[in-house]
Amino acid sequence: MGKVAVGAAVIGGAAICAAASLIVRHHVRSSRRWVKTAEILKELEEKCATPNAKLKQIADAMTVEMHAGLASEGGSKLKMLISYVDNLPTGDEEGVYYALDLGGTNFRVLRVQLAGKSGIKSQEFAEVSIPPQLMIGTSQALFDYIAAELAKFVADEGDKFHLPPGRQRELGFTFSFPVMQLSIDSGSLMRWTKGFSIHDMVGQDVVAELTHAMKRQGVDMRVSALVNDTVGTLAGGRYDNKDVVVAVILGTGSNAAYVERAQGIPKWHGPPPKSGEMVVNMEWGNFRSSQLPLTEYDNALDVESLNPNEQIFEKMISGMYLGELLRRVLYRMADEAALFGDIVPQKLKTPFILRTPEMSAMHHDTSPDLRVVGSKMKDILEISNTSLKTRRVVVELCNIIATRGARLAASGILGILKKLGRDTVKVGETPNTVIAMDGGLYEHYTEYSKCMENALHELVGDKVSDTIKLVHSNDGSGIGAALLAASHSQYLEVDDS
């Protein structure tokens, strides 16, 4: 063999060896990558575990905190706020009433025409997005913006609705943030949640602020009822079904309200309500317990949030945070396991870029190649050409995070049922317990809502489960506010006489 041939053979052999070496290194890297990915996945699954025994402990802790919050102001992380709603709608209400529903990044203005026993004759609404800068600006800027939209909504109705001479329009104001209610039509903001942070508003009366803004915008309207969205949902649910005793919101944020016996509220020092009952706004998003299955991702999200060390339960179960928890796990997998290649995708570093609706769409993807997952990865995070194996990991992460949230929400409901004594069936008694549900998370994230309902069934058993019904109270918070404006109208006594 000539020298040239030998040289060529050596070079060829070296090239083959180098290629083989590259392939081996690639396989080793790939193998290590998937081993590390599997480790992170398994660790998350273990830390997010919610066996029934743990959920029952969490429910017990919820019940204990409810008692403490009802006993005294500041007695619990659960505020157990007195709503001053002791006369829920009866179905006899008549007339045209308005509602303003401020609960997140959008607000809605509604007009509802009530026709007594015939029910709701008509309803119309407009939805408006809140510019992000107004969520962290001044109270005057925010409420002037809202009042201006309210003015447009009223102007558009023209001569369609005529009020009796000398009467004002009346409004139910759904304000879905923690408020220390002072009466049915006044209350001071305790703190912001859901991404709002307007410092000059904290401690101020939100009804007074809205009233001033309406005057500045030329809107002649009186706020007859200030309600939390959950209290509004309860009122809307009760209007349709007299067995509604609990309302739960699962949307951007999360909360619950229920009907409590007045004598079960030691901190209530006002005159006894005629009905003997009072709606209590729990503010359950602020619930915490050593039993909650917190992870490093929850802790980091909390520390970096606008309200650190607050709303821990909400941050584990609500729509604002589920997608962000998913992003944080994916970021760790990208960083430590090179799930998306050697470089961590830039977009994956952006907080809250992955929203819960996108997480829901990926979780619900049933296509053989998980193409929805692939398109969301590409469109939102600019991660192209993900393998089917990678997409399956993403779906599994969605499942773990959503399952934990849904099952924790079920344990919260069990805590309320325990407080009401409706977690067991007593001999000779079969009270129907209807729970009014609202919020985009419950309505649109089907895997989440199904999981929550299944978990509640598991926790209470077949017999009790037969007495419990969850109903979707669509737009309950807005319609409920209008109904409460009607049941607390300044003209009620005049009309009765």
Side-chain angles (χ1 to χ4, degrees):
M1 185 183 289
K3 288 181 181 177
V4 174
V6 170
V10 169
I11 291 167
I16 291 168
C17 286
S21 177
L22 278 172
I23 291 167
V24 168
R25 281 205 300 274
H26 173 75
H27 279 304
V28 168
R29 274 208 311 273
S30 178
S31 175
R32 283 179 186 158
R33 183 179 75 187
W34 288 111
V35 167
K36 185 61 181 175
T37 298
E39 279 177 14
I40 296 171
L41 189 66
K42 186 181 179 188
E43 177 190 62
L44 180 72
E45 192 169 27
E46 288 172 352
K47 288 188 175 177
C48 287
T50 51
N52 286 349
K54 180 180 275 289
L55 292 181
K56 287 178 180 178
Q57 289 176 324
I58 292 168
D60 287 340
M62 178 74 80
T63 306
V64 168
E65 292 298 319
M66 289 174 73
H67 278 285
L70 290 170
S72 64
E73 296 299 348
S76 165
K77 277 285 186 181
L78 287 183
K79 297 297 182 187
M80 303 302 286
L81 301 174
I82 294 167
S83 69
Y84 290 82
V85 172
D86 60 351
N87 54 331
L88 286 161
T90 61
D92 295 326
E93 293 79 13
E94 294 183 338
V96 176
Y97 295 90
Y98 298 78
L100 171 62
D101 188 354
L102 174 61
T105 51
N106 300 321
F107 69 89
R108 287 174 305 151
V109 185
L110 300 91
R111 177 174 45 247
V112 179
Q113 188 170 16
L114 304 173
K117 293 297 184 190
S118 301
I120 296 173
K121 184 177 180 182
S122 69
Q123 54 180 296
E124 299 165 81
F125 74 94
E127 186 158 355
V128 185
S129 293
I130 299 175
Q133 67 271 19
L134 291 184
M135 295 170 66
I136 54 172
T138 65
S139 54
Q140 182 168 328
L142 174 65
F143 280 98
D144 276 355
Y145 180 77
I146 291 168
E149 293 296 331
L150 187 56
K152 284 184 205 170
F153 185 75
V154 172
D156 285 346
E157 70 188 33
D159 296 328
K160 192 173 178 183
F161 299 104
H162 293 282
L163 291 171
R167 292 202 174 186
Q168 272 183 304
R169 292 180 173 87
E170 293 186 286
L171 173 87
F173 182 18
T174 300
F175 187 74
S176 309
F177 303 90
V179 164
M180 180 57 69
Q181 201 115 0
L182 308 171
S183 66
I184 188 62
D185 59 0
S186 66
S188 56
L189 175 67
M190 298 167 73
R191 67 176 181 278
W192 290 104
T193 57
K194 292 177 275 195
F196 282 77
S197 185
I198 301 172
H199 300 298
D200 70 342
M201 190 65 230
V202 177
Q204 301 302 309
D205 185 345
V206 295
V207 172
E209 201 66 39
L210 176 61
T211 301
H212 294 324
M214 288 193 296
K215 282 181 181 172
R216 286 193 295 269
Q217 298 296 328
V219 181
D220 184 20
M221 195 174 286
R222 175 181 178 267
V223 178
S224 297
L226 170 66
V227 296
N228 177 272
D229 58 346
T230 324
V231 175
T233 297
L234 181 54
R238 178 64 73 93
Y239 185 75
D240 294 325
N241 189 324
K242 300 305 177 207
D243 290 327
V244 170
V245 290
V246 180
V248 176
I249 300 279
L250 289 165
T252 304
S254 182
N255 193 12
Y258 73 105
V259 182
E260 178 63 87
R261 294 171 301 110
Q263 64 196 55
I265 314 175
K267 69 181 180 181
W268 171 252
H269 301 301
K274 288 178 185 175
S275 66
E277 297 178 328
M278 178 70 74
V279 176
V280 174
N281 164 22
M282 291 176 61
E283 288 299 330
W284 87 351
N286 208 38
F287 169 69
R288 63 171 54 211
S289 162
S290 59
Q291 297 296 332
L292 289 175
L294 287 160
T295 67
E296 64 187 86
Y297 312 103
D298 298 295
N299 293 329
L301 184 153
D302 177 50
V303 168
E304 295 166 28
S305 70
L306 289 170
N307 53 346
N309 214 30
E310 301 286 346
Q311 302 297 110
I312 300 300
F313 192 56
E314 180 174 79
K315 287 168 182 170
M316 298 177 79
I317 70 172
S318 79
M320 182 166 181
Y321 302 101
L322 297 180
E324 171 62 5
L325 289 170
L326 173 63
R327 181 198 70 82
R328 286 171 180 270
V329 184
L330 287 173
Y331 178 84
R332 185 182 166 200
M333 286 182 167
D335 185 42
E336 296 182 18
L339 182 64
F340 303 111
D342 294 334
I343 299 170
V344 176
Q346 194 63 33
K347 290 280 187 182
L348 197 52
K349 299 175 183 178
T350 308
F352 291 95
I353 192 172
L354 199 54
R355 296 165 55 251
T356 300
E358 279 76 47
M359 173 179 165
S360 171
M362 293 190 291
H363 194 175
H364 291 141
D365 189 359
T366 55
S367 59
D369 59 349
L370 297 177
R371 64 178 174 274
V372 175
V373 178
S375 67
K376 295 294 181 189
M377 290 285 108
K378 184 179 178 182
D379 296 345
I380 300 163
L381 301 174
E382 296 178 0
I383 302 171
S384 303
N385 304 318
T386 49
S387 68
L388 182 56
K389 196 172 181 180
T390 299
R391 295 177 191 184
R392 283 178 178 149
V393 168
V394 174
V395 173
E396 184 55 29
L397 290 175
C398 293
N399 188 55
I400 292 168
I401 293 166
T403 297
R404 183 191 67 165
R407 288 176 64 81
L408 287 176
S411 74
I413 292 173
L414 176 60
I416 300 171
L417 296 176
K418 282 176 173 286
K419 174 68 180 69
L420 293 173
R422 291 172 179 252
D423 60 319
T424 58
V425 175
K426 298 175 181 68
V427 178
E429 287 183 34
T430 52
N432 289 322
T433 301
V434 180
I435 302 168
M437 306 291 303
D438 198 12
L441 184 64
Y442 178 80
E443 184 179 359
H444 301 299
Y445 200 151
T446 311
E447 286 294 328
Y448 184 104
S449 49
K450 275 196 312 187
C451 178
M452 187 200 71
E453 289 173 14
N454 290 339
L456 186 59
H457 187 123
E458 285 173 28
L459 291 168
V460 299
D462 293 342
K463 207 175 257 187
V464 176
S465 193
D466 289 342
T467 69
I468 297 170
K469 187 177 180 186
L470 275 65
V471 296
H472 180 218
S473 182
N474 192 23
D475 195 22
S477 60
I479 300 265
L483 290 167
L484 288 170
S487 63
H488 294 84
S489 168
Q490 62 187 319
Y491 305 114
L492 273 184
E493 290 182 13
V494 176
D495 291 341
D496 289 345
S497 63

